[in-house]
Amino acid sequence: GENVGLHLPTLSVQEGDNSIINCAYSNSASDYFIWYKQESGKGPQFIIDIRSNMDKRQGQRVTVLLNKTVKHLSLQIAATQPGDSAVYFCAENPMEYGNKLVFGAGTILRVKS
Amino acid sequence: SQTIHQWPATLVQPVGSPLSLECTVEGTSNPNLYWYRQAAGRGLQLLFYSVGIGQISSEVPQNLSASRPQDRQFILSSKKLLLSDSGFYLCAWSDPTYSNQPQHFGDGTRLSIL
């Protein structure tokens, strides 16, 4: 797969623990945010999104929190499993960009069994 | 349901050779289409963006071009590849019907230039 890991921060968690991946976004005008999961050699896979009129949204085993005051986004994964090991990207949609997204650099999540 | 296909999955090309990568989307009409490049250990860089047939916006100056000959077909091309064109190329689509829609990605083409 892709030779990821040279420049990305890494989060290592024990299987069964909860994971929290953080993202600082840059544009205070952004009104839409997405988390993606990318496994080695594959394209990013949509996990969950949130609009700026919300501060929390829950999915299956995942929760996204948005703090617009400090321009911070987080992804919480409950009961982390080995299959959760991947690179996670946040993306923001600045309103003036139309339908284009700005992606963060990514965080590697390693799950230890 | 909608699907997106990219091919080839991997490609090894000599410097100076031409390039054609293809992306097709099924199950939706008039999608927004995107080409990204991802360098090893990096995030995604938007290269091209299209809202319709023949409508292409280039995001960064480069050695590549894009075309959209049909509604659900997006092609990335180059006349002469450079070493710096190596990378992982990703195509994505989004639904233009409403604002704030996620982009959905194909599984990419890994391009190596020798």
Side-chain angles (χ1 to χ4, degrees):
Chain A
E2 276 291 298
N3 186 19
V4 295
L6 295 180
H7 307 282
L8 302 180
T10 300
L11 174 66
S12 293
V13 299
Q14 196 67 37
E15 180 179 0
D17 287 351
N18 297 333
S19 303
I20 300 176
I21 301 171
N22 296 303
C23 177
Y25 63 92
S26 57
N27 194 323
S28 57
S30 292
D31 61 348
Y32 178 58
F33 305 87
I34 309 172
W35 279 101
Y36 286 93
K37 172 187 180 184
Q38 186 176 25
E39 296 175 283
S40 181
K42 295 190 174 182
Q45 178 186 8
F46 170 81
I47 301 174
I48 192 168
D49 58 2
I50 188 168
R51 289 168 174 73
S52 60
N53 60 352
M54 304 172 68
D55 54 19
K56 179 179 181 179
R57 191 171 186 213
Q58 290 184 292
Q60 186 178 12
R61 277 202 311 119
V62 295
T63 300
V64 55
L65 298 178
L66 175 62
N67 186 330
K68 295 181 286 294
T69 302
V70 294
K71 293 190 287 187
H72 184 266
L73 192 68
S74 68
L75 178 70
Q76 300 178 2
I77 304 174
T80 312
Q81 303 168 0
D84 295 326
S85 294
V87 180
Y88 289 80
F89 293 96
C90 64
E92 61 180 303
N93 179 203
M95 291 176 64
E96 66 268 27
Y97 280 29
N99 290 310
K100 292 179 279 187
L101 298 175
V102 175
F103 284 82
T107 297
I108 300 171
L109 176 65
R110 296 194 198 279
V111 182
K112 298 174 286 187
S113 299
Chain B
S1 63
Q2 302 89 356
T3 56
I4 180 169
H5 303 279
Q6 284 186 248
W7 66 93
T10 59
L11 188 61
V12 180
Q13 292 284 98
V15 170
S17 64
L19 174 74
S20 181
L21 302 180
E22 190 159 345
C23 171
T24 60
V25 180
E26 296 177 359
T28 187
S29 297
N30 196 32
N32 292 329
L33 295 173
Y34 310 82
W35 276 112
Y36 289 87
R37 176 169 53 209
Q38 185 176 31
R42 301 288 191 184
L44 281 70
Q45 179 187 35
L46 180 63
L47 302 176
F48 298 98
Y49 166 55
S50 173
V51 298
I53 296 174
Q55 300 179 65
I56 310 294
S57 296
S58 176
E59 296 298 308
V60 293
Q62 61 198 299
N63 183 43
L64 302 169
S65 62
S67 61
R68 184 170 177 174
Q70 300 181 45
D71 180 46
R72 291 169 289 166
Q73 183 185 30
F74 206 21
I75 298 172
L76 185 68
S77 303
S78 174
K79 293 181 180 178
K80 293 181 69 174
L81 286 166
L82 306 172
L83 283 174
S84 58
D85 291 324
S86 292
F88 192 46
Y89 288 85
L90 290 155
C91 182
W93 72 273
S94 69
D95 185 347
T97 307
Y98 305 101
S99 62
N100 294 334
Q101 294 293 310
Q103 294 176 17
H104 303 278
F105 288 83
D107 276 338
T109 295
R110 179 182 311 209
L111 176 64
S112 299
I113 310 300
L114 303 179

